[in-house]
Amino acid sequence: MTHKIAIIGFGNIAKAIITPLLDKKLIKPENVYCVVNSKKSLEHIKENYKYNINIFDSSSKDSKIVWDCKVKLLSVKPQHLKDIAEADNIKTKDNLLVSILAGVSINRLTQKFPNHKCVRVVTNIPITVGKGLTGIAWGEKITKDQKQFTKELFQNTSKIYEFTEDSLDIFLALTSSGPAIIALIIEALSDGGLSGGLPKMLSEELVMEMILGTISLIKEEKLTTSDVKNLVTSPGGTTISALRVLEKKSIRSALIESIVSARNRSKDFS
Ligand SMILES: NC(=O)c1ccc[n+]([C@@H]2O[C@H](COP(=O)([O-])OP(=O)(O)OC[C@H]3O[C@@H](n4cnc5c(N)ncnc54)[C@H](OP(=O)(O)O)[C@@H]3O)[C@@H](O)[C@H]2O)c1
């Protein structure tokens, strides 16, 4: 990656995206220009971040320099978008802005950043460990090189899927909210183990290994989810007894509605 890159908002997700690229030397620390909101964050990053990147707080005059970079990653919270504006030192119109803001449409981004071609990306927190999922919707007139650069930002840490923008909300609901839903399921099943007398840590470990094992079984043996259910459910046995409770409590419907609700919430932000 030869470009300089500006990062507007250097929080959890921005760090998860950029750090592996720095680790793999695909980008040089001196080519990274970040801006954060507060002096406190600035000092914290300067003292604790393992790379010596260029970083400014938004009130400093020097922070305008980030707008000189032709490529930008926008990674503030959606509610802080109103505080961000293009600086007046932009020289060309063909700059690239890659936004990871939940629910903020390409149209809104393009209106707000008229000197940029905008790309909307949804990624998820497992990118931190190189197991992420990234969905990309391209704005208008993005060049081949800009597409390539955008993919390079995410391909080391995630699988990439290209979508039209209207599919990004459901992609976000499944993949970005999904880790919290799975964490809740792990926690609840572990509490089941705890209720049956197992120590908390062991119970949690067993649940996680069981989930990983089930996924491997489905993938490696090319089974359907129904195949797995049939494999472990015997007449009058323990599994059908457990499944009966879940059906009574409408767990299927609760999970379906949780995803629909997250999708609708994402649409609210647009
Ligand atoms: N968390 C997730 O799982 C996830 C997944 C996918 C996408 N996203 C999206 O990623 C974005 C960032 O999320 P995050 O979890 O990384 O948030 P975060 O950790 O709170 O980071 C936000 C960053 O934005 C900075 N900021 C706020 N106002 C600013 C301003 N006016 N100028 C420059 N920088 C400013 C903050 O600086 P200070 O620290 O100084 O306030 C901070 O560095 C969100 O839009 C979210 O929708 C999140």
Side-chain angles (χ1 to χ4, degrees), residues 7-15 35-42 45 56-58 74-84 99-104 121-127 172 176-177 179:
I7 302 171
I8 302 164
F10 196 57
N12 296 321
I13 296 290
K15 282 187 198 123
V35 58
V36 292
N37 190 41
S38 60
K39 288 200 166 59
K40 196 173 159 207
S41 277
L42 176 79
I45 293 164
F56 313 92
D57 72 84
S58 55
L74 180 65
S75 51
V76 297
K77 294 276 191 204
Q79 61 268 32
H80 293 140
L81 181 60
K82 61 176 178 5
D83 306 328
I84 314 290
S99 165
I100 58 160
L101 273 60
V104 177
V121 167
V122 171
T123 191
N124 69 352
I125 196 70
I127 55 167
L172 179 145
S176 238
S177 306

Side-chain angles (χ1 to χ4, degrees), residues 156-176:
N156 279 285
T157 46
S158 56
K159 288 187 181 173
I160 293 181
Y161 300 81
E162 292 173 65
F163 290 105
T164 54
E165 195 179 9
D166 58 354
S167 297
L168 275 192
D169 294 302
I170 188 66
F171 180 83
L172 179 145
L174 268 181
T175 64
S176 238

Side-chain angles (χ1 to χ4, degrees), residues 61 64-65 67-68 85-92 115-116:
K61 265 198 265 161
K64 271 192 171 185
I65 198 171
W67 291 94
D68 283 339
E86 282 186 357
D88 44 21
N89 55 327
I90 294 190
K91 296 182 188 97
T92 62
N115 291 306
H116 291 76

Side-chain angles (χ1 to χ4, degrees), residues 9 28 74 97 106 168 171 179 190 217 220 238-239:
K28 293 180 182 159
L74 180 65
L97 184 131
I106 293 175
L168 275 192
F171 180 83
S190 304
L217 178 71
E220 286 169 32
T238 54
T239 308

Side-chain angles (χ1 to χ4, degrees), residues 225-237:
T225 47
S226 308
D227 291 335
V228 176
K229 187 180 145 200
N230 293 337
L231 271 176
V232 296
T233 313
S234 51

Side-chain angles (χ1 to χ4, degrees), residues 122-141:
V122 171
T123 191
N124 69 352
I125 196 70
I127 55 167
T128 312
V129 290
K131 303 252 181 203
L133 295 170
T134 296
I136 304 180
W138 306 108
E140 281 180 15
K141 297 183 182 157

Side-chain angles (χ1 to χ4, degrees), residues 170-242:
I170 188 66
F171 180 83
L172 179 145
L174 268 181
T175 64
S176 238
S177 306
I181 296 171
I182 295 300
L184 179 143
I185 291 171
I186 293 171
E187 194 178 63
L189 291 176
S190 304
D191 282 349
L194 195 65
S195 306
L198 289 180
K200 172 88 181 150
M201 296 289 279
L202 175 62
S203 192
E204 212 166 270
E205 187 184 319
L206 293 177
V207 170
M208 289 194 286
E209 290 300 322
M210 176 274 291
I211 291 174
L212 288 172
T214 307
I215 293 168
S216 298
L217 178 71
I218 291 174
K219 286 191 152 182
E220 286 169 32
E221 298 292 315
K222 298 191 175 29
L223 300 181
T224 64
T225 47
S226 308
D227 291 335
V228 176
K229 187 180 145 200
N230 293 337
L231 271 176
V232 296
T233 313
S234 51
T238 54
T239 308
I240 192 62
S241 172

